[in-house]
């Protein structure tokens, strides 16, 4: 799930792909960033064991030189990593369980190998049990499926990640769909996405990493989406669709814009929160924005720059320099959404381990920063 560099149409996009891997963005999420255009909701359930540092309004920003405050993805990711580490220690101490994360890697692609290596470093830092399954690119589809089934049956493995893309002779959907929903660390199984979108009922066992990261950045910046207008640019299954569902569950009024939307600037102009995941470099202009709005830039694109050491620089889907003059809060690229992907994968792994013991999940959505519960239509 995600376009490999060999399929990218330009050298610039290939460079952006490699940079995304270096920033810790999964192959699944990078494909979306680079190439896409009734009582409290269950995601809001509080967890008493969570540290007070995770409460809404935790420090996550630094003042920009002009205008908007910068939302630091690195700061938030470091904070969540420490929370996950504490959660792992508590799980070991009280239940004798170490969360296990298995990664299935095929071939020797530089971008995939980089991401897997970074994942392993973070997993070790928080105290996970790591299982690595590395196959040559000549592996058969049957061998991969058998490997996934073995991992499904392994009680020491709580989360499974099949690193994509897979070689052309393998049906990716067939392999990925073999992963048990109870070990679906990416959160993209039909059951997890269905539970994410439904009001009431049980929460998803895992939430897609990039959308979850966006929500964490918003909440930890002290921003309450309830009652606000949110515009999501992009409708991909990987970012746009799930982040729109999350914002709606937080009582925002959500508009999703896409390639067939007419007059996108008019929609953006009324937004209190803008999530840009459309895959077009510097697409959103500052003059489109509502003064004081929140801008979360999911895009990662390369732009030719002869003054840069590598001849290019990374930019998002938002024209940062013009947007920061108007917005109240904004994520930079790089350093905004990118650092969140791996750490949210770790949080999902911890949640899946807790689920295996029948324990309450580590929540994503929190109760309103204003001290009230989200409205429910159930």
């Amino acid at each position: 799930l995600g376009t490999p560099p060999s399929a990218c149409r330009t050298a610039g996009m290939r460079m952006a792909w490699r940079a995304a891997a270096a920033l810790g963005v999964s192959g699944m999420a990078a494909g979306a960033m680079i190439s896409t255009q009734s009582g409290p909701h269950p995601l809001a359930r509080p967890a008493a064991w969570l540290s007070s540092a995770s409460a809404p309004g935790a420090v996550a920003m630094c003042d920009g030189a002009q205008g908007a405050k910068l939302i630091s993805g690195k700061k938030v990711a470091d904070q969540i990593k420490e929370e996950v580490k504490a959660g792992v220690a508590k799980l070991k101490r009280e239940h004798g369980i170490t969360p296990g994360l298995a990664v299935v890697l095929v071939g020797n692609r530089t971008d995939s190998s980089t991401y897997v290596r970074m994942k392993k470093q973070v997993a070790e830092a928080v105290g996970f049990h790591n299982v690595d399954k590395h196959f040559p690119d000549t592996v058969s589809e049957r061998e991969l499926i058998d490997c996934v089934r073995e991992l499904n049956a392994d009680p020491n493995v709580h989360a499974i990640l099949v690193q994509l893309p897979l070689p052309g002779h393998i049906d990716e959907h067939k392999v990925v769909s073999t992963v048990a929903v109870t070990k679906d660390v990416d959160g993209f199984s039909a059951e997890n996405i269905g539970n994410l979108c439904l009001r009431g009922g049980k929460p998803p066992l895992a939430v897609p990493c990039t959308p979850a990261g966006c929500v964490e950045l918003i909440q930890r910046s002290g921003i309450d989406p309830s009652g606000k207008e949110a515009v999501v640019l992009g409708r991909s299954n990987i970012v746009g669709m799930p982040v729109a569902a999350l914002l709606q569950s937080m009582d925002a009024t959500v508009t999703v814009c896409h390639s067939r939307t007419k007059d996108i600037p008019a929609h953006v102009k009324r937004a209190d929160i803008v999530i840009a995941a459309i895959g077009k470099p510097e697409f959103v202009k500052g003059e489109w924005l509502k003064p004081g709005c929140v801008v979360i830039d999911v895009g990662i694109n390369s732009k030719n720059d002869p003054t840069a050491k590598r001849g290019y620089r990374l930019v998002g889907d938002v024209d940062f320099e013009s947007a920061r003059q108007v917005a109240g809060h904004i994520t930079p690229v790089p350093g905004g959404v990118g650092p969140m992907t791996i750490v949210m994968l770790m949080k999902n792994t911890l949640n899946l381990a807790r689920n295996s013991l029948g324990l309450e999940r580590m929540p994503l959505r929190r109760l309103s920063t204003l001290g009230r519960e989200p409205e429910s239509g159930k």
Side-chain angles (χ1 to χ4, degrees):
L1 296 175
T3 311
S6 59
C8 294
R9 294 172 184 263
T10 68
M13 290 183 71
R14 287 195 292 274
M15 290 187 288
W17 184 279
R18 295 188 185 103
L23 288 168
V25 180
S26 70
M28 191 175 290
M33 294 179 189
I34 296 169
S35 63
T36 56
Q37 326 181 13
S38 39
H41 189 281
L43 292 180
R45 295 173 182 168
W49 59 270
L50 216 57
S51 69
S52 60
S54 66
V59 176
M61 301 170 293
C62 60
D63 289 330
Q66 304 176 50
K69 290 183 177 180
L70 301 185
I71 301 176
S72 171
K74 185 180 184 306
K75 287 184 179 180
V76 177
D78 287 345
Q79 184 182 38
I80 294 172
K81 184 168 73 173
E82 289 305 310
E83 292 169 12
V84 171
K85 186 176 180 179
V88 171
K90 184 177 178 68
L91 206 61
K92 290 179 180 179
R93 184 173 63 252
E94 297 184 356
H95 301 278
I97 294 294
T98 299
L101 174 60
V103 175
V104 180
L105 177 64
V106 178
N108 295 294
R109 292 173 55 96
T110 301
D111 49 5
S112 293
S113 297
T114 299
Y115 171 63
V116 169
R117 183 173 64 254
M118 295 179 72
K119 178 279 313 172
K120 187 174 181 179
Q121 290 172 351
V122 178
E124 289 176 349
V126 299
F128 286 174
H129 164 58
N130 279 301
V131 177
D132 294 316
K133 298 290 186 179
H134 192 180
F135 295 91
D137 54 17
T138 55
V139 66
S140 70
E141 183 178 287
R142 173 50 52 192
E143 287 178 285
L144 280 185
I145 289 175
D146 287 345
C147 173
V148 171
R149 286 175 175 163
E150 288 176 9
L151 294 171
N152 283 341
D154 186 344
N156 295 316
V157 171
H158 303 97
I160 301 171
L161 173 69
V162 178
Q163 181 64 28
L164 303 180
L166 297 175
H169 66 280
I170 294 174
D171 185 335
E172 290 184 348
H173 175 73
K174 190 179 294 185
V175 174
V176 172
S177 62
T178 304
V179 177
V181 66
T182 54
K183 300 190 178 188
D184 170 32
V185 73
D186 273 319
F188 283 108
S189 68
E191 183 174 335
N192 275 326
I193 290 295
N195 285 329
L196 173 68
C197 294
L198 289 174
R199 294 182 64 82
K202 62 181 182 180
L205 299 179
V207 181
C209 297
T210 301
C214 292
V215 168
E216 289 279 19
L217 290 174
I218 290 169
Q219 293 185 133
R220 292 173 189 251
S221 298
I223 297 157
D224 180 13
S226 180
K228 292 184 172 61
E229 292 269 355
V231 169
V232 177
L233 301 177
R235 54 179 173 180
S236 73
N237 290 334
I238 295 168
V239 181
M241 178 269 290
V243 81
L246 284 170
L247 287 168
Q248 185 170 311
S249 79
M250 298 169 77
D251 298 322
T253 300
V254 182
T255 300
V256 178
C257 297
H258 47 78
S259 60
R260 294 292 182 265
T261 300
K262 295 180 179 179
D263 199 0
I264 289 178
H267 290 285
V268 173
K269 191 67 177 179
R270 68 170 188 270
D272 302 299
I273 300 172
V274 178
I275 310 288
I278 206 166
K280 295 184 177 180
E282 300 179 329
F283 177 76
V284 178
K285 310 303 180 187
E287 58 264 29
W288 298 6
L289 300 174
K290 179 179 181 179
C293 70
V294 179
V295 178
I296 306 295
D297 192 348
V298 182
I300 181 166
N301 314 276
S302 70
K303 180 177 181 179
N304 290 334
D305 183 353
T307 66
K309 184 176 180 180
R310 296 184 179 180
Y312 71 94
R313 59 186 173 88
L314 295 179
V315 299
D317 291 349
V318 177
D319 181 358
F320 181 80
E321 291 305 323
S322 65
R324 72 186 304 183
Q325 307 297 327
V326 183
H329 300 80
I330 190 170
T331 58
V333 176
V337 176
M340 298 296 294
T341 302
I342 286 182
V343 78
M344 297 313 297
L345 188 78
M346 301 300 123
K347 188 171 181 178
N348 279 348
T349 300
L350 176 57
N351 271 334
L352 292 173
R354 291 178 62 81
N355 177 71
S356 73
L357 297 171
L359 300 175
E360 192 173 52
R361 70 193 297 279
M362 191 178 183
L364 170 65
R365 255 203 43 196
R366 310 188 190 285
L367 299 181
S368 167
T369 57
L370 300 180
R372 56 174 174 69
E373 294 181 348
E375 296 178 5
S376 173
K378 187 175 180 181

